[in-house]
Amino acid sequence: MTEQAAAEKGLAVSDEVMIDIRNMHKWYGQFHVLKDINITVKKGERIVVCGPSGSGKSTMIRCINRLEEHQKGQIIVQGVELTSDLKQIEAIRREVGMVFQHFNLFPHLTVLENCALAPIWVRKMPRAEAEEIGMKYLERVKIPEQAKKYPGQLSGGQQQRVAIARSLCMSPNVMLFDEPTSALDPEMIKEVLDTMIELAEEGMTMIVVTHEMGFAKTVANRVIFMDEGQIIEEEEPETFFEHPKNDRTKLFLSQILAH
Amino acid sequence: MNTDSTPLPKVPKKSVWNNPKFRSLFFQAIVLAATVAFGISIFHNTSVNLETRGIATGFDFLSTTAGFGIIQHFIPYTEESTYGATFLVGLINTIVVSALGIILATILGVIVGIARLSKNWLIAKLAAVYIEIFRNIPLLLQIFFWYFVVLRNLPSPRQSVTFVGGFFLNNRGIYSPSPVTHDGFSYIVWAVILAFVLIFFIKRWADKRQEATGQQFHTFYVSLVILVILPLLAAVATGFPLTWDKPALSGFNFKGGMVIIPEFAALLLSLVIYTASFMAETVRAGIESVAHGQTEAAYALGLRPNSTLRLVILPQALRVIIPPMTSEFLNLTKNSSLATAIAYPDLVAVFAGTTLNQTGQAIEIIAMTMAVYLSISLLISAVMNWYNASVALVER
């Protein structure tokens, strides 16, 4: 089984720092959404972020590619600090892939055109080459036969796999997943998780906001628990699930693992 | 009610009346018969009435002399021209003001619509104020405003507002220099055509190159340069065969040059400003109809804001924008008939107005006028529907 295989491999993590978040704060008007966030992600690490809804976990990963702006502290991606400098933001977005809860595929383009769009217009690739890469990643997520269809003709699970392929076409160094399975029917969750596990096995650096604790247990190097805009606990999955220190973590785990 | 003997399953009585096919045919036949009967009675009634009043029917009046002048005509027209020519002059005047109006209103509407979504507070509020003011005042009143309050109150020709380069503004209209061509001017025209052909091929070459190598070419700027340089070279080579006839004051009015009459300016201004305020809302609604997630997904892939707008947002917004935009085009064209109120010589004013009064051929003239508006509207609809189908979204 792929999940066990991933766990047994004990994938290599290098010392190279990919993402460094230091004393980061964010406000929505008067509302203090993120309070003093500190996270260091090394190359090849797989981080799972969980917490109750409204805890700021999505907002936090959306700060990493500047879909949200932080007001205080530093976010450094591959040695480049995120500021309001548009050139730097674009440079970072090119290297950081993101998968959304609601897929956000472009409905007016075919699956293959969705994949080829950014390589053509951002990487300035010839169309033929971009489509070749698109097909390669569509095969990787096991839906090459859907290439000529439009997103509206696919199931939710297929759409999310296309979204993953679309991100991979930019050959990112880091992948951010913002609740990738939350909008899916139960029988489609597995196909998306399997794709993500394969990605992890290939050594992709990943930050995943999810409630899939099975995924966290088998794939994650570390689990981060957030509540009310703060990081409450940051542990290896074994320690996190077996011996949580904080009462809030215990409460959250008891609720989420109860059913 | 059952008897003791096992009865056969009751077969419902087959009545023609319960047959849906028969019923639908029956009612259609009744409606058709009623319509034909109504038409015949109207036709009969009309012909009897016309006969008793001694009015001749037919289109012979089109070849009789009109005997009145028209202040704006794009084809030769004098008081000796026929009513047929009157019809053409009116038709062309209607088409000119509508076509110009549609182009200008679309440009203004798109700009204001995007401005209303601007992150700049002042720009967004200015756009909102513009929309709310001009959308909520009756068009006829706006036409009166531009005509009677603004343009008619300009100084007389002798006190004209003068601009550099021979432009004058007064209560008789807007006077500007008119181009006078000399020998060799056709070379410049050819140079312009050549420039367009060249640009077409450069665009094709650039697209092919991008397909093949991914390199992008600054087609827009190169085209701009070609479009300027080629005609300029031709002009230098032929010794500038184009001069300007500047309007000059002589007596109480200007002689020479070109004039845009205040009726035309007032009608065009009010049609453009009024319709653009509706179009702006259409454009805004179209852009806002595209989910914000689309922008985020494009940004997350590294696309720039302008590429995102062009490749992701606009293609999706267009399918929402086009159908109501078609309605606005039709509205503008039909609203141009309000020209009558300020005596701009459009089709309704000169044909369904003056010509009708002079000839009394009400049926023919109104029918012709209606047929013209119907044809123009159907033509616009057909073109827009074709365009809409080409940007439609494939779903399932």
Side-chain angles (χ1 to χ4, degrees), chain B residues 105-144:
Chain B
T106 307
I107 295 171
L108 184 62
V110 169
I111 291 173
V112 175
I114 292 174
R116 183 146 192 206
L117 291 171
S118 167
K119 287 204 181 83
N120 183 317
W121 184 88
L122 187 65
I123 291 176
K125 282 286 169 290
L126 278 177
V129 166
Y130 163 83
I131 290 168
E132 290 311 332
I133 288 180
F134 290 101
R135 199 165 64 141
N136 292 313
I137 295 176
L139 175 57
L140 187 59
L141 218 53
Q142 295 192 33
I143 295 176
F144 284 159

Coordinates of all heavy atoms in Angstrom, one line a residue, chain B residues 105-144:
Chain B
A105 N -19.8 54.7 -27.1 CA -20.5 54.3 -25.8 C -19.8 53.0 -25.3 O -19.6 52.9 -24.1 CB -21.9 54.1 -26.0
T106 N -19.4 52.1 -26.2 CA -18.8 50.9 -25.7 C -17.4 51.2 -25.1 O -17.1 50.7 -24.0 CB -18.6 49.9 -26.9 OG1 -19.8 49.7 -27.6 CG2 -18.0 48.6 -26.4
I107 N -16.6 52.1 -25.7 CA -15.3 52.5 -25.2 C -15.5 53.1 -23.8 O -14.9 52.7 -22.8 CB -14.6 53.4 -26.2 CG1 -14.3 52.7 -27.5 CG2 -13.3 54.0 -25.5 CD1 -13.7 53.6 -28.6
L108 N -16.4 54.1 -23.8 CA -16.6 54.8 -22.5 C -17.2 53.9 -21.4 O -16.7 53.9 -20.3 CB -17.6 56.0 -22.7 CG -17.9 56.9 -21.5 CD1 -16.6 57.6 -21.1 CD2 -18.9 57.9 -21.8
G109 N -18.1 53.0 -21.8 CA -18.8 52.1 -20.9 C -17.8 51.1 -20.3 O -17.8 50.9 -19.1
V110 N -16.9 50.6 -21.1 CA -15.9 49.6 -20.6 C -14.9 50.3 -19.7 O -14.6 49.8 -18.6 CB -15.1 49.0 -21.8 CG1 -13.9 48.2 -21.3 CG2 -16.0 48.1 -22.6
I111 N -14.5 51.6 -20.0 CA -13.6 52.3 -19.2 C -14.2 52.6 -17.8 O -13.7 52.3 -16.8 CB -13.1 53.6 -19.8 CG1 -12.2 53.3 -21.1 CG2 -12.4 54.5 -18.9 CD1 -11.8 54.5 -21.9
V112 N -15.5 53.1 -17.9 CA -16.1 53.5 -16.6 C -16.4 52.2 -15.8 O -16.3 52.2 -14.5 CB -17.4 54.2 -16.9 CG1 -18.2 54.5 -15.6 CG2 -17.1 55.6 -17.6
G113 N -16.8 51.1 -16.5 CA -17.1 49.9 -15.7 C -15.9 49.4 -15.0 O -16.0 49.0 -13.8
I114 N -14.7 49.4 -15.7 CA -13.5 48.9 -15.0 C -13.1 49.9 -13.9 O -12.7 49.5 -12.8 CB -12.4 48.7 -16.0 CG1 -12.7 47.5 -17.0 CG2 -11.0 48.5 -15.4 CD1 -11.8 47.3 -18.1
A115 N -13.3 51.2 -14.2 CA -12.9 52.2 -13.2 C -13.8 52.1 -11.9 O -13.3 52.3 -10.8 CB -13.2 53.6 -13.8
R116 N -15.0 51.6 -12.1 CA -15.9 51.5 -10.9 C -15.3 50.4 -10.0 O -15.6 50.3 -8.8 CB -17.3 51.1 -11.3 CG -18.2 51.0 -10.1 CD -19.6 51.5 -10.3 NE -20.2 51.6 -9.0 CZ -21.5 51.5 -8.8 NH1 -22.3 51.4 -9.8 NH2 -22.0 51.6 -7.6
L117 N -14.6 49.4 -10.6 CA -14.0 48.3 -9.8 C -12.6 48.7 -9.3 O -11.9 47.9 -8.7 CB -13.9 47.1 -10.6 CG -15.3 46.4 -11.0 CD1 -15.1 45.3 -12.0 CD2 -15.9 45.9 -9.7
S118 N -12.1 49.9 -9.6 CA -10.8 50.3 -9.3 C -10.6 50.3 -7.7 O -11.5 50.5 -7.0 CB -10.5 51.7 -9.8 OG -9.3 52.2 -9.2
K119 N -9.3 50.0 -7.3 CA -9.0 50.0 -5.9 C -8.8 51.4 -5.4 O -8.8 51.7 -4.3 CB -7.7 49.2 -5.7 CG -7.9 47.7 -5.8 CD -6.9 46.9 -5.0 CE -7.1 45.4 -5.1 NZ -6.5 44.9 -6.3
N120 N -8.6 52.3 -6.4 CA -8.5 53.7 -6.1 C -9.8 54.3 -5.7 O -10.8 54.3 -6.5 CB -7.9 54.5 -7.3 CG -7.7 55.9 -7.0 OD1 -8.5 56.6 -6.4 ND2 -6.5 56.4 -7.5
W121 N -10.0 54.8 -4.5 CA -11.3 55.2 -3.9 C -11.9 56.3 -4.8 O -13.1 56.2 -5.1 CB -11.1 55.7 -2.5 CG -12.3 56.1 -1.8 CD1 -13.1 55.2 -1.1 CD2 -12.9 57.4 -1.8 NE1 -14.2 55.9 -0.6 CE2 -14.1 57.2 -1.0 CE3 -12.6 58.6 -2.3 CZ2 -15.0 58.3 -0.8 CZ3 -13.5 59.7 -2.0 CH2 -14.6 59.5 -1.3
L122 N -11.1 57.3 -5.2 CA -11.6 58.4 -5.9 C -12.1 58.0 -7.3 O -13.2 58.4 -7.7 CB -10.5 59.5 -6.0 CG -11.0 60.8 -6.7 CD1 -12.0 61.5 -5.7 CD2 -9.8 61.7 -6.9
I123 N -11.3 57.2 -8.0 CA -11.7 56.8 -9.3 C -13.0 56.0 -9.3 O -14.0 56.2 -10.0 CB -10.6 56.0 -10.0 CG1 -9.4 56.9 -10.3 CG2 -11.1 55.3 -11.3 CD1 -8.2 56.2 -10.9
A124 N -13.1 55.1 -8.3 CA -14.3 54.2 -8.2 C -15.5 55.0 -7.9 O -16.6 54.8 -8.4 CB -14.0 53.2 -7.1
K125 N -15.3 56.0 -7.0 CA -16.5 56.9 -6.6 C -16.9 57.8 -7.7 O -18.1 57.9 -8.0 CB -16.2 57.7 -5.3 CG -16.2 56.9 -4.1 CD -17.6 56.6 -3.6 CE -17.7 55.6 -2.5 NZ -17.3 54.2 -2.9
L126 N -16.0 58.3 -8.5 CA -16.3 59.2 -9.6 C -17.1 58.3 -10.6 O -18.1 58.8 -11.1 CB -15.0 59.7 -10.3 CG -14.4 60.9 -9.6 CD1 -13.1 61.3 -10.4 CD2 -15.4 62.1 -9.7
A127 N -16.7 57.1 -10.9 CA -17.4 56.3 -11.8 C -18.8 56.0 -11.3 O -19.8 56.0 -12.1 CB -16.6 55.0 -12.0
A128 N -18.9 55.7 -10.0 CA -20.2 55.4 -9.5 C -21.2 56.6 -9.6 O -22.3 56.5 -10.0 CB -20.1 55.0 -8.0
V129 N -20.6 57.8 -9.3 CA -21.4 59.0 -9.4 C -21.9 59.3 -10.8 O -23.1 59.6 -11.1 CB -20.6 60.3 -8.9 CG1 -21.3 61.6 -9.3 CG2 -20.5 60.2 -7.4
Y130 N -21.0 59.1 -11.8 CA -21.3 59.3 -13.2 C -22.4 58.3 -13.6 O -23.4 58.7 -14.2 CB -20.1 58.9 -14.1 CG -20.4 58.7 -15.5 CD1 -20.6 59.7 -16.4 CD2 -20.6 57.3 -16.0 CE1 -20.9 59.4 -17.7 CE2 -20.9 57.1 -17.3 CZ -21.1 58.1 -18.1 OH -21.4 57.9 -19.4
I131 N -22.3 57.0 -13.2 CA -23.3 56.0 -13.6 C -24.7 56.4 -13.0 O -25.7 56.5 -13.7 CB -22.9 54.6 -13.1 CG1 -21.7 54.2 -13.9 CG2 -24.1 53.7 -13.2 CD1 -21.0 52.9 -13.3
E132 N -24.7 56.8 -11.7 CA -26.0 57.0 -11.0 C -26.6 58.3 -11.6 O -27.8 58.3 -11.7 CB -25.8 57.1 -9.5 CG -25.4 55.8 -8.8 CD -26.3 54.7 -9.2 OE1 -27.5 54.9 -9.6 OE2 -25.9 53.5 -9.2
I133 N -25.9 59.3 -11.9 CA -26.5 60.5 -12.5 C -27.1 60.2 -13.8 O -28.3 60.5 -14.1 CB -25.4 61.7 -12.5 CG1 -25.1 62.2 -11.1 CG2 -26.0 62.8 -13.4 CD1 -24.1 63.3 -11.1
F134 N -26.3 59.7 -14.8 CA -26.7 59.7 -16.1 C -27.7 58.5 -16.4 O -28.5 58.5 -17.4 CB -25.6 59.6 -17.1 CG -24.8 61.0 -17.1 CD1 -23.7 61.1 -16.4 CD2 -25.4 62.0 -17.8 CE1 -23.0 62.4 -16.4 CE2 -24.7 63.3 -17.8 CZ -23.6 63.4 -17.1
R135 N -27.7 57.5 -15.5 CA -28.6 56.4 -15.7 C -30.0 56.8 -15.3 O -31.0 56.2 -15.7 CB -28.1 55.2 -14.9 CG -28.6 53.9 -15.3 CD -27.7 52.8 -14.6 NE -27.9 52.9 -13.2 CZ -27.9 51.8 -12.4 NH1 -27.9 50.6 -12.9 NH2 -28.0 51.9 -11.1
N136 N -30.1 57.7 -14.4 CA -31.4 58.0 -13.8 C -32.0 59.3 -14.2 O -33.0 59.7 -13.7 CB -31.2 58.1 -12.2 CG -30.8 56.7 -11.7 OD1 -31.5 55.7 -12.0 ND2 -29.8 56.6 -10.9
I137 N -31.5 59.9 -15.3 CA -32.2 61.1 -15.9 C -32.7 60.7 -17.2 O -31.9 60.0 -18.0 CB -31.2 62.3 -16.0 CG1 -30.8 62.7 -14.6 CG2 -31.8 63.4 -16.7 CD1 -29.7 63.8 -14.6
P138 N -33.9 61.0 -17.6 CA -34.5 60.6 -18.9 C -33.6 61.0 -20.0 O -33.1 62.2 -20.0 CB -35.9 61.3 -18.9 CG -36.2 61.5 -17.5 CD -34.9 61.7 -16.8
L139 N -33.5 60.2 -21.0 CA -32.6 60.5 -22.1 C -33.1 61.8 -22.9 O -32.2 62.6 -23.2 CB -32.6 59.3 -23.1 CG -31.8 59.5 -24.4 CD1 -30.4 59.9 -24.1 CD2 -31.9 58.3 -25.3
L140 N -34.4 62.0 -23.0 CA -34.9 63.1 -23.8 C -34.4 64.4 -23.1 O -34.0 65.4 -23.7 CB -36.4 63.1 -23.8 CG -37.1 64.2 -24.7 CD1 -36.6 64.1 -26.1 CD2 -38.6 64.0 -24.7
L141 N -34.5 64.4 -21.7 CA -34.0 65.5 -20.9 C -32.6 65.8 -21.1 O -32.1 67.0 -21.2 CB -34.3 65.2 -19.5 CG -34.8 66.4 -18.6 CD1 -36.0 67.0 -19.2 CD2 -35.2 65.9 -17.2
Q142 N -31.8 64.7 -21.2 CA -30.3 64.9 -21.4 C -30.1 65.5 -22.8 O -29.2 66.3 -23.0 CB -29.6 63.5 -21.3 CG -29.7 63.0 -19.9 CD -28.7 61.8 -19.7 OE1 -27.7 61.8 -20.3 NE2 -29.1 60.9 -18.8
I143 N -30.8 65.0 -23.8 CA -30.7 65.6 -25.2 C -31.0 67.1 -25.1 O -30.2 67.9 -25.6 CB -31.6 64.9 -26.2 CG1 -31.2 63.4 -26.3 CG2 -31.6 65.6 -27.5 CD1 -32.1 62.6 -27.2
F144 N -32.1 67.5 -24.4 CA -32.4 68.9 -24.3 C -31.3 69.6 -23.6 O -31.0 70.8 -24.0 CB -33.7 69.0 -23.5 CG -35.0 68.7 -24.3 CD1 -36.2 68.4 -23.7 CD2 -34.9 68.8 -25.7 CE1 -37.3 68.1 -24.4 CE2 -36.0 68.5 -26.5 CZ -37.2 68.1 -25.8

